[in-house]
Amino acid sequence: MIKLVIFDWDGTLFDSIDMICQCMIKAGASVGVAPRTDSDIKNIIGLGLMEAVRVVWPDESTEDQEQVVESYKSLFVSGDHDAPPRPYFGVLEVLNTLCDKDIMIAVATGKSRRGLNRALLSTDTTKYFNATRCADETKSKPDPLMLEELLNELGVSAENALMVGDTEYDLMMAKNICMPSIGIAHGAHEKARLTKCEPVAVLDDFSEFIDVVEKMV
């Protein structure tokens, strides 16, 4: 019986993949590190920011990696102000339906606390979430610590919770503590990659979500 649904943010609930890619590529260029492509960046979406930069630019100095992080933060904040992220089709309907069913909702994200708070405010979605956890408060995905912390905070066992995400890092995080998961194929990682993590389902369309969850409640 599902009592809690935990969502990733970028690429799962909100369409921010392109902006992440553009900001990361621009940040690298501003520091003068080796050029990277959208596919390079999509591979690391979901990780904490410093962990992501280390994966994308493993051969660069720590100083350059830190400069990329700071440049990315500045660029992303500017992008948020210019065009706040939009929810994927069906997301707000799903959040409202879960609330109506008295199912708790949480967020487990690779964003920083400052970044998530800004996103919650700009999208007017704070009201939906019982708890949130960010990468700069705990260990980065796919380590399951942020899920364990959410479960403890909300008093729910892993088998009564569901992780929903668009990357293998989200799904492997859940698998590491035997929590069921659902993959969302409209985000960063392709469907085949998500399927390898053995989720309950991989959805092409968010509107399918409630039908799947109702079979688990």
Side-chain angles (χ1 to χ4, degrees):
M1 181 177 179
I2 299 302
K3 299 179 180 179
L4 168 66
V5 179
I6 304 173
F7 291 100
D8 169 59
W9 187 270
D10 294 309
T12 299
L13 295 178
F14 285 83
D15 187 4
S16 46
I17 298 297
D18 287 344
M19 188 164 73
I20 291 173
C21 291
Q22 292 169 16
C23 290
M24 191 68 80
I25 289 169
K26 288 179 181 178
S30 72
V31 177
V33 294
R36 293 292 185 260
T37 66
D38 282 4
S39 61
D40 296 323
I41 309 307
K42 285 181 180 180
N43 182 56
I44 52 77
I45 290 175
L47 298 177
L49 182 53
M50 192 68 231
E51 289 81 0
V53 169
R54 287 171 180 154
V55 172
V56 176
W57 287 284
D59 299 324
E60 305 295 342
S61 68
T62 299
E63 181 180 357
D64 282 349
Q65 291 171 344
E66 290 173 349
Q67 288 182 16
V68 172
V69 167
E70 293 307 312
S71 178
Y72 172 84
K73 288 179 180 178
S74 177
L75 288 164
F76 199 86
V77 169
S78 297
D80 265 357
H81 288 315
D82 292 341
R86 295 180 299 176
Y88 287 103
F89 179 78
V91 163
L92 296 182
E93 180 183 356
V94 165
L95 295 178
N96 282 313
T97 301
L98 292 174
C99 289
D100 290 342
K101 293 179 178 293
D102 293 322
I103 296 174
M104 290 185 288
I105 312 173
V107 170
T109 177
K111 299 178 84 66
S112 67
R113 169 53 59 188
R114 180 182 176 187
L116 179 61
N117 285 349
R118 189 176 64 249
L120 289 167
L121 183 63
S122 68
T123 58
D124 191 28
T125 52
T126 305
K127 60 189 176 185
Y128 291 111
F129 302 108
N130 300 89
T132 60
R133 196 63 87 250
C134 301
D136 60 348
E137 299 170 328
T138 184
K139 291 185 178 179
S140 177
K141 305 172 185 181
D143 189 292
L145 183 58
M146 68 169 66
L147 292 185
E148 292 171 342
E149 291 172 348
L150 287 168
L151 293 175
N152 290 335
E153 179 178 344
L154 298 173
V156 178
S157 62
E159 60 265 29
N160 294 132
L162 176 69
M163 178 67 209
V164 184
D166 68 307
T167 73
E168 66 176 30
Y169 309 120
D170 300 314
L171 306 191
M172 288 305 299
M173 179 172 63
K175 188 175 181 180
N176 285 337
I177 54 170
C178 300
M179 180 187 293
S181 66
I182 289 178
I184 303 297
H186 60 213
H189 291 177
E190 65 273 10
K191 191 170 186 177
R193 189 169 175 181
L194 299 176
T195 301
K196 290 180 180 179
C197 301
E198 301 179 338
V200 173
V202 177
L203 307 181
D204 294 308
D205 190 325
F206 214 94
S207 62
E208 305 170 51
F209 181 82
I210 292 300
D211 288 339
V212 174
V213 172
E214 285 183 338
K215 296 175 183 177
M216 304 173 69
V217 173

